[in-house]
Amino acid sequence: MPSILSVPGAPGQTAKAEPADVRRNNRALIFGLLFPDTELSRAQIGRRTGLSRVAVSDVVGGMLDEGLIREGGLAHNTGKGKRGTLLGVDPERLHVISIDLSQSHFIQGAITNLLGVIVERAELSLGAANAITIEDIAELAERLMARAGGVIGVGVAAPGVVADGIVRRSTVLGWQDVDLRGPLEQRLGVPVSVDNDATSGMLAERCFGQGGPNLLFVWMRRGIGTAVLINDVPVMGENNAGGEIGHISIDPQGPECPCGKRGCLERLIAAPTLGERLREHPESRGRILGQAGLHLAEALAMPVGMLDISDVCVYGPPDIINTDLIAAAQRHLDETTMSSFRTRTGIRRCQLGGDIALRGETIAVLRDHLHRV
Ligand SMILES: [Zn+2]
């Protein structure tokens, strides 16, 4: 029951405190208790949440009508009165359309159910220029929407800084201030959530992977970014650029980067760069990946120490994020951050597969939906 679902607002938004929001917050709280596969009676929900019977009935009734939850069997008899009907998440009726812009050469899309299970897929190949247009995204989303019932929203995972549905800056996509949410909502007629791809990966790792409520998540695909989760609240930063470590220069004498600086982390260890170097020097595989792990740990040592996070999870291509890289990163983190007053920070490879961003968008859309009227 990840409480990340009950935290009000989309990542980056602050909690509202108006009385009208109480019902929405209760809805998210109850759904979060049941997600993904817990079954509870109304009375059990009341005991767990501290909400009154009337409040639970009201919120549960609304969610049953809407298709978010369904009634199942009967609760075990505890000897106190009649047995209550069990409630659980309904994985059948409602769907999310997820779109992933973080891969090279194609856009990946899927229909998922509320539990992040992929029901159907579609892809759109990109031309030789590898460029993505809003038209491409809309077309793919429309194709999927035509085949899905009960769509509660569309989620788009994009590399770069994303704020209020707008991709503020993406060196990977070559975009600046591209409004995705506005045009997509107008055309598709459903709410659209746009999220940084690392944030999306982090949401998936928290809800479907091994991640706990405190997590530093590293994302290595076309670009490199991180997402931070503290007490189940995604930390987005003042300009929604929290975790954007890809363009921090760690080698001033290093190769030039499209951002204008030299030796940026992304320029040194992004997956395409490493892949190219491994193809050119297959004999130096261990050394190249060890060096990449060292650079990664150099960049992470400070946030790890500052935030006191003991779990670092790295997602990326399995031939790159392997034992060589992880072991080198762990060694350097141990050398630079271990002390008697904090627990050891473990760095590990993310076990979720290529659908991670698609499944993360299920959660992003659900979070938005639960806090909407
Ligand atoms: Zn750069």
Side-chain angles (χ1 to χ4, degrees):
M1 55 175 109
S3 62
I4 190 166
L5 286 164
S6 346
V7 177
Q13 290 176 344
T14 45
K16 299 173 203 152
E18 293 150 32
D21 298 311
V22 169
R23 194 167 181 276
R24 275 185 295 227
N25 290 343
N26 290 346
R27 179 162 97 136
L29 182 67
I30 293 173
F31 188 86
L33 270 184
L34 300 174
F35 187 91
D37 53 8
T38 303
E39 291 196 311
L40 296 172
S41 69
R42 286 169 178 78
Q44 288 168 328
I45 291 171
R47 280 197 291 277
R48 298 252 187 124
T49 59
L51 294 171
S52 71
R53 232 169 65 186
V54 175
V56 171
S57 271
D58 176 41
V59 172
V60 159
M63 290 201 292
L64 282 170
D65 289 346
E66 204 189 334
L68 282 166
I69 59 173
R70 66 180 176 189
E71 290 186 319
L74 291 174
H76 286 297
N77 200 338
T78 53
K80 288 181 279 181
K82 69 178 172 69
R83 297 191 296 164
T85 306
L86 289 172
L87 301 156
V89 172
D90 187 341
E92 309 285 335
R93 281 193 285 170
L94 300 178
H95 296 98
V96 170
I97 305 295
S98 293
I99 309 277
D100 176 11
L101 307 183
S102 69
Q103 316 225 47
S104 308
H105 313 301
F106 67 100
I107 309 177
Q108 200 178 17
I111 303 167
T112 81
N113 69 15
L114 296 189
L115 301 179
V117 175
I118 309 248
V119 177
E120 205 170 325
R121 301 169 182 277
E123 279 179 19
L124 201 83
S125 297
L126 301 173
N130 215 1
I132 297 173
T133 64
I134 297 180
E135 177 62 32
D136 293 333
I137 302 167
E139 200 190 302
L140 186 61
E142 272 176 343
R143 250 163 63 196
L144 288 162
M145 282 180 74
R147 303 206 293 259
V151 173
I152 60 168
V154 174
V156 183
V161 177
V162 179
D164 301 321
I166 300 167
V167 179
R168 289 292 177 199
R169 196 182 64 244
S170 171
T171 41
V172 169
L173 297 173
W175 287 2
Q176 188 146 5
D177 293 326
V178 175
D179 181 7
L180 282 187
R181 188 167 67 197
L184 286 176
E185 283 191 342
Q186 200 166 19
R187 174 144 163 197
L188 303 172
V190 293
V192 173
S193 173
V194 185
D195 308 276
N196 168 263
D197 51 5
T199 302
S200 194
M202 180 266 286
L203 291 173
E205 175 63 19
R206 171 67 181 115
C207 292
F208 308 118
Q210 314 293 314
N214 295 290
L215 175 67
L216 176 54
F217 188 80
V218 182
W219 179 259
M220 288 173 71
R221 250 183 193 169
R222 288 176 74 177
I224 175 165
T226 63
V228 178
L229 189 68
I230 305 279
N231 289 333
D232 262 339
V233 179
V235 178
M236 306 306 289
E238 211 168 328
N239 302 295
N240 270 52
E244 284 293 308
I245 61 166
H247 292 282
I248 291 175
S249 167
I250 59 168
D251 180 6
Q253 317 301 326
E256 273 179 36
C257 179
C259 77
K261 298 191 286 286
R262 281 180 169 275
C264 291
L265 189 63
E266 184 163 303
R267 189 71 184 77
L268 294 176
I269 68 165
T273 313
L274 285 178
E276 201 175 302
R277 285 179 54 206
L278 291 172
R279 276 191 298 279
E280 283 168 9
H281 307 283
E283 73 289 352
S284 310
R285 187 171 184 86
R287 195 183 53 78
I288 290 169
L289 292 176
Q291 185 68 31
L294 174 67
H295 281 321
L296 180 63
E298 280 171 347
L300 295 181
M302 202 58 88
V304 159
M306 190 161 67
L307 300 168
D308 188 16
I309 283 184
S310 57
D311 182 22
V312 177
C313 178
V314 186
Y315 174 83
D319 57 330
I320 287 176
I321 310 304
N322 65 6
T323 323
D324 289 334
L325 187 144
I326 294 290
Q330 182 72 67
R331 222 166 20 245
H332 188 75
L333 266 190
D334 286 347
E335 284 165 14
T336 51
T337 67
M338 275 234 278
S339 70
S340 55
F341 54 83
R342 55 189 304 281
T343 48
R344 180 180 191 234
T345 297
I347 182 162
R348 63 188 172 89
R349 193 169 72 80
C350 177
Q351 304 290 328
L352 297 174
D355 294 332
I356 179 169
L358 296 173
R359 302 180 72 197
E361 283 309 298
T362 308
I363 299 301
V365 169
L366 250 179
R367 275 165 56 91
D368 279 1
H369 181 79
L370 289 170
H371 290 92
R372 208 173 288 121
V373 183

